Amino acid sequence: MGKAKANAGPLARRPDNSAFKQQRLPAWSPMLTAQTVLPFFYGMAIVCVLLGVWLLVTVQNTHELKVDYTHAGSCDKCFEKRKDRANANQSCNCTVVFNIENTFKGDVFFYYGLINFHQNLRQYMDSRDDGQMIGRNKNLKNPSYYCEPFIKDKNGLPIAPCGAVANSMFNDSFTLMYHSAAGSRVVPLFRKGITWYTDKNVKFRNPQVENKTLTLAQVFEGTGQPLYWQKPVYDLDPWDRNNNGFINEDLIVWMREAAFPNFKKLYGVLNRAIEPFTDGLPAGNYSVLISYNFPVEYFQGRKEVVLSTVSWFGGQNNFLPVAYLVTGCLILLLAVILTAVWWKFGKNGRNMKE
Amino acid sequence: MHVIYDNAIKTSKYNIFTFLPLNLFEQFQRLANAYFLFLLCLQSIPEVSSLPWYTTVVPLVLVLSMTMAKDGSDDMSFYRIENLTDFIIYGVSLSLSLSLLLLCLSLLLQADLLLLSSSEPLNLVYIETAELDGETNLKVKQALTVTGKLEDSVEKLANFNGEVRCEPPNNRLDKFTGTLTLKGETYSLDNERILLRGCTLRNTQWCFGLVIFGGPDTKLMQNCGRTTFKRTSIDRLMNVLVLSIFGFLMIMCLILAIGNGIWEYQEGSKFAAFLPKGVNAPFSAFLTFWSYVIILNTVVPISLYVSVEIIRLGNSFYINWDRKMYYPKNDTPAEARTTTLNEELGQIKYIFSDKTGTLTQNVMTFNKCSINGKAYGEKTEKVDFSWNNLADPKFCFHDNSLVEVVREGNPEVQAFFRLLSLCHTVMPEEKKEGELYYQAQSPDEGALVTAARNFGFVFRSRTPESITVVEMGELVTYELLAVLDFNNVRKRMSVIVRSPEGKLTLYCKGADTIIFERLNPSCSNLTEFAGEGLRTLALAYKDIDPEYMEDWKLRHHVANTAMDEREEKLDALYEEIEKGLLLLGSTAVEDKLQDGVPQTIEQLSKADIKIWVLTGDKQETAENIGYSCNMLREEMNEVFIVSANTSEEAFALEKDMEIELLRTACMCQTVICCRVTPLQKAQVVELVKKYKQAVTLAIGDGANDVSMIKAAHIGVGISGQEGMQAVLSSDYSFAQFRYLQRLLLVHGRWSYLRMCKFLRYFFYKNFTFTFVHFWYGFFCGFSAQTVFDEWFITLFNLVYTALPVLSLSLFDQDVNDWWSFQYPQLYTPGQLNQYFSKRAFVYTVLHSGYSSLVLFFIPWAAMYDTVRDDGKEIVDYQSFALLAQTCLLIAVSIQLGLDTHYWTAMNQFFLWGSLSVYFAVIFTMYSNGMFLTLTSSFPFIGTARNSLNQPNVWLTMLLTSVLCVLPVVAYRFLRILLWPTINDKKIHKLLLFPHSRRTSTRRSGYAFSHAQGYGDLVTSGKFLRRTPKSRPALFSQTDSPLAQTQPQFYRTISEREEPPLSP
């Protein structure tokens, strides 16, 4: 760039006559004229309104039911019990009853929700060791200092999984019951397939050992369970041996920290292979049996159970459809104002005179 | 006495070893860099660190290394310049092992010398002081006779044993006092004996001098003024803004820290079961404060300074590359010597221009004449002088009828040219037979003699008693009886000659007004060239009675040897004989203004730039220049003069008067300051800078302009003339004054526009980026959690948005250069600081406040409580971060598109390229491979894949973009409709009439002068002691600078009464 040309002569230092150097690059200069701006605004208004309507229709076709069970129904006593930390090891079961009026058609998802639980605190979020969770043996026995103060248990054993996130894992469990004329029956839920594929297969792995015959418990030997856990990590799912250790899907779901203090996390998916749930959840009376373990009283939190169907647009969230409708209307209003102003001031170019 | 002065002036800062530590030290003295170092220290504290170290280190290292590279290359170029200027002096002085200098011909003197001896008769040296005071005529300096005897004998010089006592170094160019004590005798030394640094030896083979002052002590350097580091007003504004941003940052952090304290107190303590912290609320708030200082540091973007430097560098390159500022005649392209002042070129309010060599060209031409009432010189075809084998081939004249008349033998015309060939003090030089060179005291005298030569009256040679002329091929020798030399009072010169026939004639030429007073009442009218802006010399003659001549000569001799009142007596004698003259005609010698000067001045004044001419010349010359370059016009009646001579001017620059002077001057349409010394030029500039708060530009070509060039915000040097002093201390240089309009109206305007667009956009981008974090604070318990991925924070300014914003600020144009010239009014917004000011900054902050609200709360609400289309998580932190950062990047990219007015392929490429790079980078960073290699650095694995395949994510991005952009479009559209700026109007016009072109009219102006001649020397008889064989031509048509000293003025602009008509 800018090197003097080698050729001598009377015009040796004459700059190149390139479009770039002479700042004559061909260019497109868009202008904000009435001919471009007004049609664009009307167009955008139409697009937004149409999108809004379409999304609204889509969202209206989904169903969602939220049941707050913090101290609803018989859970009140459990709530009281969990206030006292001394009762932490006592189990407490309770039931919440609710009614579904319209059939939840299609896939139905069972979520648990937490209100006012800050999974997004910086120190909380940092308090985990991905290296341990991916199954690195070094990290298993020697977790990252990020896990402070949940690195070692009171016996001095390294905690697996370490850190505040894992330690505070949600440990209520649910059984959804359908009460029809034919009697009560358990609604079948898939408890696997609730995580991102990448999490389950890449991000979380059990420690790799040479000896394939070792049981998971032996692999985790020499580590302690997180302080607040009732079970060790290799024993999280007593029914499915392959859903244990770091690849336990409830753990994985929990470890994907929520961005906001109010969130819901997937607990299970309706198994539609079994009658009468092939079309979804039929209308009727339901109850949830809850193993009430997770204390929320300390942080004025609440817990809920959410049943929901989804569309291509995701869960039931009316914000985007409404926002598009409102935006569309605003743009239309703006377009009309702009047109009026243009009609009055800009059309004859009077303001453009010097 | 034998001390060798260190004549070097050190300008380079570093050497190889000191470069790294010194440069780093300097860089960290910059507030911004020091701040980032401090941030880095903060980040190393685990309790505080809210971002990993690389978010700060990567940008810091990049910025430091780029600045370092630039500083290094700058310093290298300084180093080279220094070597160039000092080579000569060392070479010569060391070889003599004395501080004696042998000076060769045409050498620029590098120190102040006491002249000892020279090659010329009477120990004379001829010097040109154009570098010092702008005067281009030759000046004569004479050595003391005692020292002159030393001649060129090295032994004698080496044994020279005298003592010089003199005044301490000072800046008076016209004064020197000292004594030389030699062998017990004391000789007084004055300015006549001193050669100053910056002078050029002319017409002198060699001379010896004793170095009196060297290096920074020389008068030239003492006159240079201080070199100050120049900063643009944008720079200063930026510093103020950065400081207020710091304040703003502290306020934000304080709010968030207080929020954190409250949150910790109310909720955090209860949440402690899940996250034991072990600190109380106030301490946690304290830590949070620093954490937020780290996170929100992007409001004070580290890349800002470096980007600004790059933009200025780029725009400087455009100036260097501009073909329309390249002067092919002497192969000089424009040069931006300082790369840090570009945008200020778009804000100039006052221009201070030198006259000599800046406004005027250097060529004097015999343009027109009037003989016996008939005018010649109307532009027709070029005259062929081939019939005259002694003609100067470079001379051209455009009226054939004059040649015809001469060749016909018209007696008046022949007398006219005979006068021109006889009445002068030019010295001829004939190196080869027929190859004549004239050495004239003033170029216009040379021009007149050359004209006579071409018309067949060739001045061939002279002795003290005779002048030999070839008249139409015939050798004629005139006896020279007397030379009545020119001076400023007489404003005329005469010679008395005896022709071979024995006729005695007095030939006189001089200012028309002066000659008219001395004409025989019977003389006819003189054709005036007044209307054309030409000034004339009148030519007259008188036949003298031999008896009277004898008597007069006797009295002349008596007067000439009188000890007292010699001057007065001579004047009276001259007055007596120069009476009753008969008019021959008049000549018009033209010193052209440079091409396009009047148009340039007109353009610049249309752009509302005030032009002041500061010149060392006398008032009349300056005024005439003013008229010829359109600054003064006939309809301006109230031309009044504040100060007439040097002392008064200086007085007016003193404290109590300066405001008065400024007030008066600023009321005037045109200001011309005459008789100002270099330092006073600088004082005038400082005065305007101080009280008008306006951006000033000084333009000049000589060393006398250096102080002014350094004092002004922007200094421009006219290069390609003789001497480089002005150019070396200037910020921009080019070869012709007219390029100034391109520099200001095109480059300056664009640079300013680009810089302002850049700053507004840059602040917008970074504030938006930062505010999003601020809002998130309210959702994450003020725990200093970032919204975006750490890598995004690192790369946002450096990679994702760097190139598009650079291409905006390197390629953008509102209108092209042609329209910029067509409408100089487009320049005015820059003078009024309209594109970027504190007000604009506040608007930018408010705008980014709005954008950040949209960019945070729309994704928040859109994602609230929703899930993917397969029911799985999407509101997790990582997905939200990805969504928010993508929304942000798209929104700021669209905003960039809105700000871009000139979409070149580069803009498109960089904008789309950066967006593609963003997506490529996130897919790479969130890939399995990266996670498995560097687990802790890339925890976002799979986020891009799992969330960017969701329609609601894309719909959220669309909505945020629409909401960010459409209000801006609507606002701008309304603004153009209702309150169009001058730019909008011109662009509108451009849309309506894209192909209209105006033909420009061309005018030229003239100015010329005359100077005191060599009368004394011509008659002294000693100038021919030696035949100068190797003297170069002093006066040539092409390269000799314009003479402007001691000018004789011929007012033709003012209305003059008609001289009496003769029958």
Side-chain angles (χ1 to χ4, degrees):
Chain A
M1 222 169 46
K3 273 259 166 91
K5 280 182 291 181
N7 64 320
L11 302 177
R13 295 168 71 201
R14 182 164 67 175
D16 294 338
N17 192 16
S18 62
F20 171 69
K21 289 189 173 182
Q22 302 305 317
Q23 305 200 63
R24 281 188 278 102
L25 287 175
W28 169 61
S29 292
M31 315 254 181
L32 293 181
T33 60
Q35 287 72 29
T36 51
V37 171
L38 295 179
F40 176 68
F41 266 72
Y42 285 110
M44 280 315 290
I46 292 168
V47 167
C48 286
V49 169
L50 288 181
L51 256 178
V53 170
W54 182 30
L55 293 182
L56 200 60
V57 169
T58 311
V59 170
Q60 288 305 315
N61 283 332
T62 61
H63 301 274
E64 189 178 68
L65 181 88
K66 285 189 177 176
V67 181
D68 187 328
Y69 69 91
T70 317
H71 33 203
S74 58
C75 291
D76 203 19
K77 63 172 184 1
C78 294
F79 179 75
E80 293 301 324
K81 195 171 189 177
R82 291 288 167 237
K83 270 185 182 174
D84 189 355
R85 212 163 285 180
N87 300 329
N89 287 328
Q90 298 177 19
S91 64
C92 178
N93 296 316
C94 61
T95 311
V96 178
V97 183
F98 58 94
N99 178 38
I100 289 179
E101 285 167 11
N102 300 310
T103 310
F104 279 29
K105 281 208 179 105
D107 285 331
V108 179
F109 298 89
F110 186 99
Y111 301 92
Y112 61 90
L114 278 173
I115 310 291
N116 204 27
F117 187 91
H118 283 81
Q119 259 199 319
N120 58 2
L121 296 181
R122 175 169 58 89
Q123 296 89 339
Y124 177 90
M125 286 183 96
D126 288 348
S127 184
R128 59 187 285 166
D129 186 359
D130 284 331
Q132 191 187 44
M133 303 276 224
I134 204 176
R136 298 222 167 97
N137 285 312
K138 184 169 70 70
N139 297 52
L140 181 71
K141 297 286 161 62
N142 193 9
S144 156
Y145 66 90
Y146 277 109
C147 288
E148 200 68 55
F150 300 102
I151 295 183
K152 301 251 167 81
D153 65 5
K154 45 191 178 292
N155 302 325
L157 291 174
I159 296 174
C162 72
V165 187
N167 185 59
S168 58
M169 183 180 159
F170 186 78
N171 54 1
D172 284 6
S173 52
F174 308 95
T175 313
L176 185 60
M177 306 289 291
Y178 173 51
H179 308 285
S180 65
S184 300
R185 54 180 304 172
V186 172
V187 178
L189 292 177
F190 288 122
R191 297 278 286 113
K192 283 173 80 176
I194 56 178
T195 61
W196 287 6
Y197 176 85
T198 48
D199 282 356
K200 175 88 177 170
N201 294 286
V202 185
K203 198 172 183 183
F204 294 88
R205 277 184 218 165
N206 278 325
Q208 306 297 302
V209 283
E210 306 270 316
N211 191 347
K212 298 284 178 197
T213 56
L214 286 181
T215 61
L216 211 50
Q218 285 166 313
V219 169
F220 278 99
E221 203 175 311
T223 64
Q225 70 187 51
L227 298 180
Y228 295 179
W229 285 20
Q230 283 117 343
K231 293 178 274 193
V233 67
Y234 49 83
D235 207 17
L236 283 172
D237 191 342
W239 295 281
D240 187 347
R241 303 311 305 173
N242 295 327
N243 194 21
N244 271 319
F246 295 141
I247 55 169
N248 177 273
E249 298 212 359
D250 284 333
L251 174 67
I252 292 173
V253 165
W254 181 256
M255 292 303 287
R256 186 150 282 282
E257 302 119 328
F260 297 101
N262 304 342
F263 57 88
K264 63 183 183 191
K265 288 191 180 288
L266 191 54
Y267 183 79
V269 185
L270 177 68
N271 183 351
R272 287 167 65 193
I274 297 162
E275 282 291 341
F277 304 111
T278 44
D279 287 339
L281 276 186
N285 290 324
Y286 290 84
S287 66
V288 196
L289 290 176
I290 302 155
S291 166
Y292 197 112
N293 299 315
F294 198 77
V296 291
E297 198 276 331
Y298 306 120
F299 55 92
Q300 285 126 19
R302 304 192 71 79
K303 300 192 281 192
E304 59 190 15
V305 166
V306 184
L307 286 169
S308 171
T309 62
V310 297
S311 62
W312 61 268
F313 182 62
Q316 195 182 59
N317 181 328
N318 279 313
F319 174 78
L320 269 187
V322 173
Y324 266 108
L325 277 177
V326 171
T327 306
C329 295
L330 283 178
I331 294 172
L332 192 65
L333 186 70
L334 206 54
V336 171
I337 293 172
L338 290 185
T339 314
V341 172
W342 171 72
W343 194 264
K344 192 150 188 322
F345 295 102
K347 199 165 164 247
N348 49 18
R350 196 180 40 197
N351 273 5
M352 285 299 168
K353 298 213 178 72
E354 282 137 68
Chain B
M1 153 117 202
H2 292 281
V3 173
I4 295 173
Y5 283 82
D6 183 6
N7 204 30
I9 297 151
K10 193 171 183 314
T11 44
S12 69
K13 272 192 289 195
Y14 313 114
N15 64 38
I16 293 175
F17 305 104
T18 57
F19 178 71
L20 195 70
L22 264 184
N23 187 270
L24 276 181
F25 178 70
E26 255 176 42
Q27 289 207 47
F28 281 118
Q29 281 183 329
R30 279 191 179 174
L31 193 61
N33 291 346
Y35 168 67
F36 285 98
L37 196 66
F38 166 71
L39 278 185
L40 200 59
C41 298
L42 272 186
Q43 287 187 356
S44 60
I45 305 168
E47 281 76 26
V48 172
S49 173
S50 46
L51 282 174
W53 55 273
Y54 51 77
T55 54
T56 305
V57 166
V58 174
L60 188 67
V61 165
L62 247 141
V63 163
L64 287 182
S65 50
M66 282 175 87
T67 318
M68 204 181 281
K70 185 172 173 290
D71 285 353
S73 73
D74 276 3
D75 207 51
M76 285 292 280
S77 60
F78 265 124
Y79 194 70
R80 265 181 284 143
I81 289 166
E82 178 195 343
N83 281 350
L84 259 179
T85 47
D86 288 312
F87 173 71
I88 304 164
I89 188 93
Y90 281 127
V92 180
S93 67
L94 290 181
S95 68
L96 277 169
S97 76
L98 262 181
S99 41
L100 280 170
L101 290 179
L102 171 67
L103 295 157
C104 307
L105 213 62
S106 297
L107 183 70
L108 196 65
L109 296 190
Q110 293 292 344
D112 291 355
L113 304 178
L114 169 66
L115 180 61
L116 293 178
S117 63
S118 91
S119 60
E120 302 305 296
L122 301 177
N123 298 314
L124 293 177
V125 272
Y126 302 94
I127 53 163
E128 198 185 88
T129 54
E131 285 285 277
L132 278 170
D133 51 17
E135 301 178 351
T136 48
N137 62 318
L138 286 192
K139 291 201 180 70
V140 181
K141 301 264 171 171
Q142 193 171 23
L144 288 171
T145 329
V146 261
T147 58
K149 285 179 194 150
L150 299 169
E151 291 195 328
D152 59 347
S153 136
V154 177
E155 298 97 78
K156 277 190 197 168
L157 283 166
N159 294 327
F160 176 72
N161 191 10
E163 190 183 291
V164 176
R165 289 173 183 272
C166 65
E167 60 188 5
N170 61 48
N171 58 20
R172 297 289 305 266
L173 291 177
D174 53 347
K175 223 173 146 252
F176 180 83
T177 49
T179 56
L180 170 70
T181 313
L182 193 65
K183 295 175 187 147
E185 280 198 63
T186 305
Y187 305 87
S188 106
L189 300 175
D190 60 9
N191 207 30
E192 277 296 285
R193 322 277 171 238
I194 301 299
L195 306 180
L196 299 181
R197 178 173 187 163
C199 297
T200 318
L201 271 196
R202 292 282 181 219
N203 199 13
T204 306
Q205 282 183 322
W206 51 260
C207 72
F208 280 96
L210 176 71
V211 176
I212 303 230
F213 299 130
D217 288 343
T218 57
K219 300 223 176 201
L220 179 69
M221 284 304 158
Q222 294 273 318
N223 240 312
C224 273
R226 277 176 303 120
T227 309
T228 45
F229 185 65
K230 290 181 180 178
R231 289 196 155 279
T232 66
S233 50
I234 293 270
D235 262 331
R236 288 187 289 273
L237 178 62
M238 230 155 68
N239 283 348
V240 172
L241 291 183
V242 165
L243 277 182
S244 55
I245 292 171
F246 267 121
F248 188 61
L249 170 70
M250 290 303 141
I251 292 171
M252 284 200 293
C253 293
L254 203 64
I255 293 173
L256 292 166
I258 292 170
N260 180 263
I262 295 170
W263 190 88
E264 283 295 330
Y265 181 73
Q266 290 183 343
E267 301 197 31
S269 50
K270 291 159 190 161
F271 200 72
F274 300 109
L275 184 68
K277 270 202 197 157
V279 292
N280 56 12
F283 189 63
S284 159
F286 173 77
L287 291 180
T288 306
F289 178 84
W290 296 111
S291 302
Y292 269 114
V293 168
I294 296 172
I295 286 190
L296 303 182
N297 79 69
T298 41
V299 278
V300 192
I302 190 169
S303 48
L304 174 70
Y305 287 95
V306 122
S307 308
V308 164
E309 297 289 302
I310 292 174
I311 291 163
R312 285 174 178 162
L313 194 68
N315 283 310
S316 303
F317 269 115
Y318 283 134
I319 292 173
N320 296 348
W321 287 334
D322 196 334
R323 266 202 167 196
K324 288 178 182 151
M325 286 165 67
Y326 166 78
Y327 193 53
K329 247 186 201 161
N330 49 16
D331 191 28
T332 316
E335 192 189 357
R337 300 173 43 81
T338 311
T339 55
T340 54
L341 301 170
N342 294 56
E343 74 271 4
E344 197 132 270
L345 289 174
Q347 300 187 278
I348 305 290
K349 187 77 189 161
Y350 287 89
I351 292 180
F352 298 93
S353 172
D354 177 39
K355 182 177 75 75
T356 313
T358 305
L359 297 178
T360 53
Q361 230 170 14
N362 295 319
V363 187
M364 292 283 187
T365 49
F366 177 77
N367 195 265
K368 288 183 179 185
C369 65
S370 155
I371 304 168
N372 203 15
K374 188 172 185 315
Y376 301 93
E378 287 310 313
K379 292 270 179 220
T380 53
E381 76 282 17
K382 204 175 155 186
V383 175
D384 177 26
F385 287 110
S386 55
W387 54 271
N388 180 354
N389 52 11
L390 286 171
D392 186 340
K394 286 177 210 145
F395 182 83
C396 58
F397 194 73
H398 288 276
D399 197 342
N400 254 328
S401 60
L402 186 58
V403 181
E404 281 157 21
V405 177
V406 174
R407 301 186 72 179
E408 276 165 17
N410 182 318
E412 281 92 5
V413 176
Q414 295 211 339
F416 178 89
F417 285 113
R418 187 174 294 123
L419 187 151
L420 289 184
S421 66
L422 292 174
C423 179
H424 54 77
T425 56
V426 170
M427 292 202 248
E429 194 181 342
E430 200 164 356
K431 280 184 194 162
K432 271 191 280 173
E433 180 67 27
E435 231 176 82
L436 274 172
Y437 292 98
Y438 292 143
Q439 296 187 15
Q441 178 80 328
S442 69
D444 54 339
E445 192 167 49
L448 289 175
V449 179
T450 309
R453 166 185 171 181
N454 277 47
F455 283 101
F457 286 79
V458 188
F459 166 58
R460 198 73 188 267
S461 65
R462 80 191 315 158
T463 68
E465 289 86 31
S466 70
I467 296 176
T468 306
V469 180
V470 180
E471 285 184 3
M472 305 306 291
E474 209 179 302
L475 200 73
V476 185
T477 306
Y478 290 87
E479 192 185 336
L480 182 62
L481 298 176
V483 176
L484 288 59
D485 200 8
F486 177 90
N487 73 31
N488 274 328
V489 185
R490 285 163 40 76
K491 295 189 177 176
R492 62 186 183 270
M493 80 163 287
S494 305
V495 290
I496 301 169
V497 293
R498 194 199 306 272
S499 69
E501 298 88 50
K503 217 169 95 182
L504 280 174
T505 317
L506 178 142
Y507 290 107
C508 177
K509 68 175 181 187
D512 42 9
T513 44
I514 303 283
I515 299 289
F516 287 152
E517 292 164 10
R518 285 161 182 80
L519 284 184
N520 191 313
S522 64
C523 266
S524 66
N525 183 25
L526 170 96
T527 308
E528 287 176 26
F529 303 108
E532 297 152 63
L534 282 171
R535 286 167 300 170
T536 51
L537 263 181
L539 310 183
Y541 75 101
K542 174 186 171 183
D543 290 327
I544 298 176
D545 184 48
E547 281 100 72
Y548 174 71
M549 188 61 206
E550 285 301 314
D551 174 47
W552 187 86
K553 240 189 140 178
L554 220 67
R555 285 188 286 144
H556 180 246
H557 183 73
V558 172
N560 213 5
T561 48
M563 284 312 286
D564 44 28
E565 294 184 337
R566 186 193 296 171
E567 294 274 309
E568 287 78 4
K569 285 177 182 161
L570 279 177
D571 271 354
L573 269 178
Y574 292 170
E575 193 76 16
E576 181 195 315
I577 202 164
E578 289 170 328
K579 254 184 198 160
L581 304 171
L582 294 166
L583 186 68
L584 266 177
S586 61
T587 61
V589 171
E590 164 192 0
D591 170 25
K592 271 192 199 138
L593 289 174
Q594 288 185 8
D595 288 341
V597 165
Q599 293 93 315
T600 305
I601 288 181
E602 194 189 333
Q603 282 277 52
L604 293 177
S605 48
K606 270 193 203 160
D608 210 14
I609 300 173
K610 300 222 160 53
I611 303 175
W612 293 23
V613 173
L614 308 180
T615 173
D617 267 329
K618 283 182 102 182
Q619 185 196 331
E620 291 91 333
T621 323
E623 251 179 72
N624 275 308
I625 284 288
Y627 279 109
S628 51
C629 58
N630 264 355
M631 289 179 67
L632 296 172
R633 283 179 292 275
E634 297 291 339
E635 69 268 19
M636 295 180 179
N637 298 319
E638 306 284 319
V639 177
F640 62 92
I641 291 94
V642 179
S643 51
N645 65 47
T646 318
S647 58
E648 276 181 51
E649 174 77 34
F651 182 65
L653 282 169
E654 272 162 23
K655 267 276 177 298
D656 44 339
M657 291 291 289
E658 59 182 17
I659 295 179
E660 196 54 42
L661 172 76
L662 188 71
R663 197 176 297 145
T664 319
C666 289
M667 280 192 292
C668 301
Q669 274 194 12
T670 301
V671 178
I672 300 176
C673 301
C674 0
R675 277 289 171 221
V676 285
T677 65
L679 217 54
Q680 283 168 350
K681 285 184 178 183
Q683 282 174 326
V684 173
V685 174
E686 293 285 358
L687 188 65
V688 173
K689 264 171 83 174
K690 191 169 157 195
Y691 290 105
K692 299 298 282 184
Q693 263 91 45
V695 185
T696 56
L697 178 145
I699 179 166
D701 72 322
N704 58 334
D705 306 316
V706 167
S707 59
M708 158 171 102
I709 283 172
K710 282 186 178 171
H713 289 107
I714 302 222
V716 179
I718 301 278
S719 60
Q721 313 284 353
E722 280 179 55
M724 290 293 285
Q725 292 282 358
V727 171
L728 284 180
S729 51
S730 67
D731 306 310
Y732 298 90
S733 72
F734 41 74
Q736 292 275 296
F737 181 79
R738 65 170 183 273
Y739 298 150
L740 185 63
Q741 61 173 332
R742 192 170 173 82
L743 183 72
L744 299 189
L745 298 184
V746 178
H747 289 286
R749 216 174 59 80
W750 281 347
S751 297
Y752 175 67
L753 181 87
R754 288 166 184 171
M755 184 57 72
C756 293
K757 272 196 175 183
F758 166 78
L759 287 176
R760 277 196 314 232
Y761 177 73
F762 203 82
F763 282 123
Y764 166 77
K765 172 170 77 99
N766 281 285
F767 272 96
T768 310
F769 179 86
T770 311
F771 285 162
V772 174
H773 285 128
F774 184 77
W775 306 129
Y776 190 54
F778 292 87
F779 290 85
C780 65
F782 307 96
S783 62
Q785 178 62 32
T786 59
V787 183
F788 311 124
D789 176 16
E790 284 142 2
W791 284 107
F792 181 78
I793 293 170
T794 315
L795 299 178
F796 176 68
N797 272 327
L798 284 178
V799 177
Y800 301 144
T801 57
L803 288 177
V805 80
L806 273 186
S807 67
L808 166 79
S809 41
L810 286 179
F811 300 120
D812 206 52
Q813 309 177 358
D814 51 349
V815 291
N816 64 22
D817 51 349
W818 193 80
W819 281 87
S820 304
F821 277 134
Q822 212 58 20
Y823 297 106
Q825 300 91 317
L826 291 175
Y827 191 78
T828 46
Q831 297 170 332
L832 303 171
N833 272 323
Q834 277 179 353
Y835 293 152
F836 190 75
S837 56
K838 284 174 191 160
R839 196 185 154 93
F841 176 73
V842 171
Y843 281 141
T844 303
V845 174
L846 291 179
H847 180 200
S848 32
Y850 165 77
S851 291
S852 66
L853 282 174
V854 167
L855 288 170
F856 178 74
F857 285 99
I858 298 284
W860 169 73
M863 288 298 116
Y864 182 77
D865 215 18
T866 194
V867 290
R868 276 159 55 101
D869 56 2
D870 58 0
K872 292 172 186 171
E873 186 98 66
I874 191 135
V875 212
D876 62 296
Y877 168 76
Q878 293 182 344
S879 304
F880 183 78
L882 178 68
L883 172 64
Q885 71 197 33
T886 313
C887 285
L888 173 82
L889 193 66
I890 291 174
V892 296
S893 296
I894 297 177
Q895 180 65 38
L896 181 86
L898 270 184
D899 285 346
T900 307
H901 190 264
Y902 193 78
W903 282 91
T904 64
M906 303 279 237
N907 291 73
Q908 301 273 8
F909 175 74
F910 283 142
L911 188 61
W912 297 114
S914 292
L915 280 176
S916 324
V917 163
Y918 167 72
F919 283 106
V921 166
I922 55 168
F923 275 103
T924 313
M925 283 195 178
Y926 301 171
S927 66
N928 304 352
M930 292 299 269
F931 178 74
L932 293 176
T933 352
L934 283 167
T935 308
S936 54
S937 295
F938 299 99
F940 274 57
I941 174 192
T943 312
R945 277 170 281 173
N946 283 296
S947 114
L948 291 181
N949 62 2
Q950 292 302 303
N952 54 0
V953 166
W954 289 100
L955 284 168
T956 311
M957 292 177 196
L958 176 67
L959 186 65
T960 53
S961 304
V962 165
L963 282 174
C964 277
V965 168
L966 282 189
V968 180
V969 176
Y971 167 74
R972 291 195 182 171
F973 180 68
L974 278 179
R975 208 212 64 228
I976 292 173
L977 276 184
L978 298 177
W979 308 283
T981 62
I982 182 114
N983 273 40
D984 301 327
K985 287 177 184 172
K986 298 306 173 198
I987 292 171
H988 182 75
K989 206 163 183 176
L990 193 146
L991 272 181
L992 293 180
F993 321 102
H995 301 301
S996 69
R997 293 236 162 187
R998 192 179 70 177
T999 51
S1000 67
T1001 54
R1002 222 154 211 271
R1003 264 161 284 155
S1004 62
Y1006 309 89
F1008 76 120
S1009 66
H1010 190 63
Q1012 184 158 12
Y1014 298 128
D1016 290 339
L1017 285 171
V1018 167
T1019 49
S1020 73
K1022 290 175 184 163
F1023 68 100
L1024 290 174
R1025 197 173 68 182
R1026 221 181 289 243
T1027 3
K1029 281 277 181 225
S1030 58
R1031 284 180 191 170
L1034 167 70
F1035 175 74
S1036 69
Q1037 295 274 0
T1038 49
D1039 64 358
S1040 152
L1042 170 65
Q1044 292 293 352
T1045 31
Q1046 302 174 330
Q1048 184 176 345
F1049 303 103
Y1050 308 102
R1051 287 293 306 276
T1052 56
I1053 304 302
S1054 58
E1055 246 47 63
R1056 210 187 308 112
E1057 274 177 274
E1058 302 271 68
L1061 287 165
S1062 65

